[in-house]
Structures are given as C-alpha cells and as structure tokens.
Amino acid sequence: MPHTPRKKPRQARSQATQAIIIEAAARILEAPSEPSLTTNAIAEKAGISIGSLYQYFPDKRAILASLLRREWQIMLDAMSENIRRQTSAKAAIDAFIDIAIAHQFSRPRMSQRLELLEQSLDLDDDVLALSVEIQTRVLTVLQRYLPDASADMARDIVTICKAMINDSTRMDLTPGADLKHRLSAAVFGYLQAISPAR
Amino acid sequence: MPHTPRKKPRQARSQATQAIIIEAAARILEAPSEPSLTTNAIAEKAGISIGSLYQYFPDKRAILASLLRREWQIMLDAMSENIRRQTSAKAAIDAFIDIAIAHQFSRPRMSQRLELLEQSLDLDDDVLALSVEIQTRVLTVLQRYLPDASADMARDIVTICKAMINDSTRMDLTPGADLKHRLSAAVFGYLQAISPAR
DNA sequence: CAAAAATGCGAGTAAAAGCTCATATTTGAA
DNA sequence: TTCAAATATGAGCTTTTACTCGCATTTTTG
C-alpha cells in the first residue's frame, strides 16, 4: 500500500522535525550562491533522508506553503504585539511599516526568493487565510487613521509596502536610511490623496 | 564543430522568424491553461522545428530576454509619443499611468507571467538598458512636476505602478474603473508627501 | 526477550525539459 | 540542369529533480 505521509506519529517529535525541514528550506533560500531548492537538498540540509522528508510532507509544495505560513505568522505576531502598544493611529501605521521592513531585511535573500515562489505556487486556503488576516489587521489600523478606509485601500498599502521593500532588498541587503522615509511618503501620501474629505 | 546560432543569414527573413518565435512564446504565456513554457512548445507554436529554433536563439533565456525587450520597447514608444503631446506636467504623469495600465491589460496573463520570469532570469545589460531608459523618461517627466525629483523617486514610482497594476490583473483580467483612481492617488500622494517644499 | 509495529533510509525510477546532430530539403549560382 | 552551400528537421541524448519502495533500524507491546 503506497504510503500517505504518516499522520502525526508522536506529535511532539513530529512537529519538531517538520520545523527542521522548513528551516532547512529557508536556509537554502538565503544561501548567497542561490543553490536550487530541490527536495533532496532540503533533506540533506535538514540532516534527514529524502525518504523521511516525504513522511512529514506530502510533496514539495507543502513544504514551501508551510514556510510561507511560518513567515506570515511571524509578521502577524509582530504586528499584534507592536500595534497594541501604540497610541496614535499614525504611530500604529508607522509601526507597521517598521515591522514590514525589519521582517524582510531580517533574512533578505530568503524573503526575496520566497516572494517569487509565492506567486508561482498556488496556495491552499489555509495559507491564504493568513495573508488575508494580515490585510484585515492593516485595515483595522487604517480605520483608526481614516474612518472610511476600505479593504481595497488596505490591499493597496500592503502591495506598495511589499513592492518597495522587495525592490530595496534587490539593490542592497541592508536597509538604506531613506527607505523608511520613502515608504512613509508612499503610504501616507496615498492615504491623504485618496481620502475624499480634504 | 558545435553550432553557434547562425548569424543573421538573410537579414530580413531571419528577423521575421525571430519575431515569430518571440510571439509564440508570448502566446504560450497568455494561454489560460498556463501551459509550461518549454522550448519545444515554443517551436511548435511558432510552426518550426526545435532544431530551427536553436538557429535563431542560443538558448531559452535569450528568447525570453528578447520578449522582454520587445515589451519594454513598446512601452517606451508609447511613452515617447504620448508624453510629447501633453502640456501640463500633471497631464504627462497621468498619461504615463494610463499607458502603463493599458499596456499591462492589453495582454494581462502574459504580462503577469513575464514579470515573474523577469525576476528569475538574470538579464543582460542590453535588456536592462531599456528598463533604465524607462525610468529615465519617467524622471524627466517628474522633473517637470517637481524640479528636484530624483532617480530614486522615479524608481519608486515605477515600482508602485508595476506592483499595483500587476496586483490588479491577478484579481481581474479587465481593469477596474477604480484602478486609475487608486494608482493616481498613490503616485501623486507619494510625490506630494516626499516633496520637501510643503 | 520476542514479536510486531513504527520509523528511518537512500539507491533507484520516471518524467520533464533543454539542447544536439546526423540527415533531409531547399536555395542559388554557374 | 547540376552541385554545393545554406537551412530545416525531429528523434533522441543528457541532465535535473520530484518522488517511491524494499529493506534496515528503532521503539513499543505482550
């Protein structure tokens, strides 16, 4: 009987191994020589055999989806914690911009290559849900700043931030001092220009 | 002796065949079923044999680079023609936004997949030169609007436009009425916010 | 301790895709 | 018309890579 990837055999150990595999994929993505992200390479980097890898993930796509989910969850956690402690709406949006920059530059090469993958992969709903959740949180913060902010505006803001930050990593792997300034201009400029009451 | 791709054997015919091959690649990229862009598929779509294809291009990368160059040249031509006839600086920038939207939506699926390829391919200088030229033209127009506009600002504008338009094609293959409005807000909002004199 | 169940292993399989080269066809000059 | 140079052809070679499966090892059970 051909094996379906073995179900959570002994929860704790299994989850740890999954995390190791996911991190191995991340380490390959951030390697400067840009080695190709093959399943064999992931298994080797994780220190397990290729056969074992397929006991924890049904296929390669699932590994990358899990990595994406991990990264988005990190973003969400940072946003939740950091946004709560802000007082003014403007400060909350500023905090979001800082978080987005810090996250992408914490592992710039990985983030870059992962964003490319994100577009070619077609993701399952449970992963997309996290992406939607991020936009929802952004919308919540926006509405403190502009009461009539819409979901479309939140999506635009996220799109602009991702594009400008990603573009920035392509030129330089450490954040230039002006990136924050330019990104703030883009975000707040957009908000002011699109706000009807002005 | 292994064959170097034959040099312009009979100029006219050769260039025509090259164009046919490039267009075949474009047609595969825009097909709704998203078939994989293999050299064999390109040759078949072009109505020539795989062997002949390799007489016109040294490798697959060269085909995609040529397609990118073709698209960027179309953009440049549209910008050159349309910008010249504008009077006000604001109208010129508006024209650029319209051109960018129209171009991407003229073949939305192709543009989308091509932009992904653009990032994984590493392009030769002669192709990158066109991309730089587009940014230079944008800068020229920006400087009519803001005399102290910088190359960084032009890059940001291009980045924002590409990201928002591309994001828009992902949701819907025909341009929503509000895209122009939102993109204008992003561009002019950024310019106003970043302008020091205010 | 013995048997059985669970897990680990990695050589090997199969499919996809870039590219070649021996052969066939066409073209153009004499 | 004749022949050689130029061009077209596509079967198949080669590499890459996702994934399998029979066996070894470890862990659990009785």
Side-chain angles (χ1 to χ4, degrees):
Chain A
M1 187 156 304
H3 60 138
T4 132
R6 295 166 196 175
K7 308 284 185 180
K8 352 195 131 172
R10 229 176 293 171
Q11 282 281 19
R13 179 105 57 115
S14 175
Q15 277 194 315
T17 307
Q18 281 198 346
I20 286 171
I21 292 170
I22 291 169
E23 175 57 23
R27 294 237 301 279
I28 290 172
L29 286 176
E30 78 184 343
S33 61
E34 301 201 3
S36 40
L37 185 71
T38 69
T39 50
N40 287 289
I42 295 172
E44 188 182 5
K45 203 67 150 177
I48 63 171
S49 74
I50 178 65
S52 295
L53 182 146
Y54 278 95
Q55 293 182 335
Y56 292 98
F57 292 94
D59 53 29
K60 183 180 172 180
R61 249 185 81 255
I63 301 173
L64 302 180
S66 293
L67 175 54
L68 258 175
R69 204 166 45 184
R70 185 190 83 173
E71 292 304 307
W72 282 343
Q73 189 62 59
I74 292 174
M75 266 288 282
L76 262 178
D77 292 346
M79 285 172 67
S80 300
E81 189 187 346
N82 222 327
I83 283 172
R84 231 192 310 275
R85 75 182 60 177
Q86 302 301 329
T87 53
S88 82
K90 182 172 189 320
I93 296 175
D94 262 323
F96 165 69
I97 293 174
D98 286 333
I99 290 169
I101 291 176
H103 181 259
Q104 168 111 0
F105 276 96
S106 73
R107 306 182 76 168
R109 263 185 269 261
M110 184 203 70
S111 300
Q112 235 172 262
R113 290 183 69 186
L114 197 54
E115 192 163 320
L116 259 187
L117 258 30
E118 175 191 333
Q119 321 229 8
S120 37
L121 242 47
D122 58 352
L123 299 165
D124 305 333
D125 288 342
D126 64 323
V127 183
L128 285 176
L130 279 183
S131 173
V132 169
E133 178 63 19
I134 288 178
Q135 283 182 15
T136 303
R137 306 258 179 130
V138 170
L139 176 57
T140 304
V141 172
L142 285 189
Q143 282 172 336
R144 262 192 255 165
Y145 186 77
L146 286 179
D148 54 349
S150 69
D152 276 348
M153 287 167 58
R155 220 191 58 233
D156 285 339
I157 297 291
V158 171
T159 299
I160 290 171
C161 288
K162 282 176 75 167
M164 282 183 63
I165 296 172
N166 204 54
D167 210 49
S168 182
T169 54
R170 226 170 279 139
M171 319 221 45
D172 200 340
L173 294 181
T174 63
D178 55 336
L179 173 60
K180 172 71 191 295
H181 172 246
R182 280 158 38 219
L183 190 46
S184 287
V187 170
F188 289 106
Y190 171 87
L191 290 175
Q192 290 203 348
I194 211 163
S195 164
R198 193 156 304 270
Chain B
M1 185 155 306
H3 60 137
T4 133
R6 296 175 193 165
K7 310 285 185 181
K8 352 196 135 175
R10 227 174 298 166
Q11 283 281 19
R13 180 103 57 118
S14 175
Q15 275 193 317
T17 306
Q18 281 198 347
I20 287 171
I21 292 169
I22 292 168
E23 175 57 23
R27 293 235 302 278
I28 290 172
L29 286 176
E30 77 184 343
S33 62
E34 302 202 3
S36 41
L37 185 71
T38 69
T39 49
N40 287 286
I42 295 172
E44 189 182 2
K45 202 66 149 175
I48 63 172
S49 73
I50 179 65
S52 294
L53 184 147
Y54 278 95
Q55 292 181 335
Y56 291 98
F57 291 94
D59 53 29
K60 183 181 170 178
R61 251 185 79 256
I63 301 173
L64 301 180
S66 292
L67 175 54
L68 258 175
R69 204 167 44 184
R70 186 190 80 172
E71 293 303 308
W72 282 342
Q73 190 61 59
I74 291 173
M75 267 288 281
L76 262 179
D77 291 345
M79 285 172 67
S80 300
E81 188 187 345
N82 222 325
I83 283 171
R84 232 193 307 277
R85 76 183 60 178
Q86 302 301 329
T87 54
S88 83
K90 182 171 189 321
I93 296 175
D94 262 323
F96 165 69
I97 294 174
D98 287 333
I99 289 168
I101 292 176
H103 182 258
Q104 168 112 0
F105 276 97
S106 73
R107 306 183 74 169
R109 264 186 268 260
M110 183 204 71
S111 300
Q112 235 172 261
R113 292 184 68 185
L114 197 55
E115 192 163 320
L116 259 186
L117 258 29
E118 174 191 333
Q119 320 229 6
S120 37
L121 244 48
D122 58 351
L123 298 165
D124 305 333
D125 288 342
D126 65 322
V127 184
L128 285 177
L130 278 183
S131 174
V132 171
E133 178 63 18
I134 288 177
Q135 284 184 15
T136 303
R137 305 258 178 129
V138 171
L139 177 57
T140 304
V141 171
L142 285 189
Q143 282 173 334
R144 262 191 255 165
Y145 187 77
L146 286 179
D148 55 348
S150 69
D152 276 349
M153 288 168 58
R155 219 190 59 235
D156 285 339
I157 297 291
V158 171
T159 299
I160 290 171
C161 288
K162 281 176 76 166
M164 283 183 62
I165 296 173
N166 204 52
D167 210 49
S168 182
T169 54
R170 226 170 278 137
M171 320 221 44
D172 199 341
L173 294 182
T174 62
D178 55 336
L179 173 61
K180 172 70 190 298
H181 173 245
R182 280 156 41 217
L183 190 47
S184 286
V187 170
F188 288 106
Y190 170 87
L191 290 175
Q192 289 203 348
I194 211 161
S195 164
R198 194 155 304 269

